[in-house]
Amino acid sequence: MIIHPLLMGGGFGRRLKGDYAARAAQVAQHTAGLPVQVVWTREEDFAHGWHRPAMRLSMRANLAEDGGLAGYEVVAATADDRTGGHGPAPYMVGDYAATLSTVKAGVPVGAWRAVDPGMALFAKESFIDECAHLAGADPLAYRERLLLGNERALRVLRAAAGAIGWDRPREPGGGRGLAILHEWDTVVAHAVEVRVTGRQLRVERLVAAADLGTAVNPQQVKAQFEGGGLMAVSAALGERMTFRDGRAVETNFGAYPILRMAQAPAVEVLLFETPEAKLGGAGEPPVPGVAPALANAIFQATGRRVRSLPFSAAGFAVA
């Protein structure tokens, strides 16, 4: 038997599961040497996919007398796999503890673009924002205090905040949010601007400021951050799978809404370099910071904290 592996665009982790290849091999055993290509319908692919793992967690913090973050604790449960990405980096936090447990999801789960930090950062960066609010501090200034001495992280954070117009007066219903990530040897800050009218949520702008050490192909890196950012916006706003009687309810895009072109925000990507640093990744880092930055922007616009994904489950409709 000869197997011809093909490139898989848009797999985002699906390629790591070999079930489709196994089916092709099983069929090929009965075709007397004829070539075999297995193609699933979209409905079959929806119903038999490997789904992004779910996570539920709680966090609590020890705030210093000046409101700074002295330490925090994470207690989390994840579907079928322990999940990292809860640590304080790039922040300077003295005390940190995590208790991680696993539960069985009852449905097949697998890798999704940005894997562990893609889930954990939504909680962590939303939590940092809540700590800033409790301390009576500006979320940007609060993060800057936690990043003192980390010039690489401060540079991207300030660049993203400046590009989104952090200090510009906000109109009624408008909000801006921030998030920062240091994973895959890349430091990236996301800034988002939203407008909320009743239950209508419009993501107007998305800024990503990133330092990959060295950007070997800057245009390709920008393309990764543009596409990854929009993928993350779509997932945060309305993408979810539900199950009934052991079956997937959503079996096509009519029931599984993804971001449409008219709903997509303007995306700006700012690249920085630190040549002495390790060469960082560009495929995963564009995703994790978008959801918490969105949640933090919604809070600034409405005063309401959204602590679960997608935002449509909290009653928001994508404008």
Side-chain angles (χ1 to χ4, degrees), residues 61-279:
N62 177 21
L63 298 186
E65 290 185 3
D66 62 358
L69 185 59
Y72 70 92
E73 180 187 34
V74 179
V75 179
T78 312
D80 287 350
D81 188 18
R82 289 183 187 169
T83 302
H86 301 285
Y91 297 118
M92 302 298 293
V93 177
D95 296 323
Y96 157 72
T99 301
L100 309 177
S101 303
T102 60
V103 296
K104 291 296 181 182
V107 297
V109 296
W112 190 82
R113 186 177 183 178
V115 287
D116 292 5
M119 294 182 284
L121 197 76
F122 174 64
K124 187 173 84 172
E125 279 299 294
S126 298
F127 184 69
I128 293 293
D129 232 62
E130 296 199 30
C131 291
H133 179 68
L134 287 173
D138 174 83
L140 171 60
Y142 194 80
R143 286 177 169 83
E144 288 176 328
R145 287 175 57 191
L146 295 174
L147 293 169
L148 285 178
N150 190 336
E151 294 302 319
R152 193 179 176 202
L154 282 169
R155 180 169 63 171
V156 296
L157 177 66
R158 288 166 176 166
I164 207 69
W166 185 261
D167 294 327
R168 192 176 68 246
R170 291 183 291 111
E171 298 179 1
R176 303 181 188 108
L178 297 169
I180 190 167
L181 168 79
H182 188 177
E183 295 283 357
W184 303 284
D185 296 314
T186 290
V187 186
V188 54
H190 280 98
V192 176
E193 186 169 34
V194 303
R195 180 170 302 281
V196 182
T197 305
R199 291 292 183 176
Q200 296 291 313
L201 171 61
R202 170 74 184 178
V203 184
E204 296 191 325
R205 297 178 60 218
L206 170 64
V207 176
D211 183 340
L212 289 75
T214 299
V216 176
N217 186 337
Q219 292 304 314
Q220 180 62 29
V221 171
K222 286 188 175 183
Q224 285 282 351
F225 274 85
E226 290 166 350
L230 291 176
M231 177 183 176
V233 169
S234 180
L237 290 179
E239 294 185 31
R240 65 172 175 173
M241 293 292 294
T242 55
F243 299 86
R244 185 180 301 126
D245 299 327
R247 293 177 177 270
V249 174
E250 294 81 13
T251 58
N252 213 320
F253 288 114
Y256 184 89
I258 62 173
L259 193 72
R260 297 182 179 272
M261 292 177 66
Q263 299 167 329
V267 181
E268 181 178 358
V269 181
L270 308 172
L271 295 182
F272 299 88
E273 294 194 340
T274 303
E276 64 272 19
K278 290 182 179 180
L279 192 66

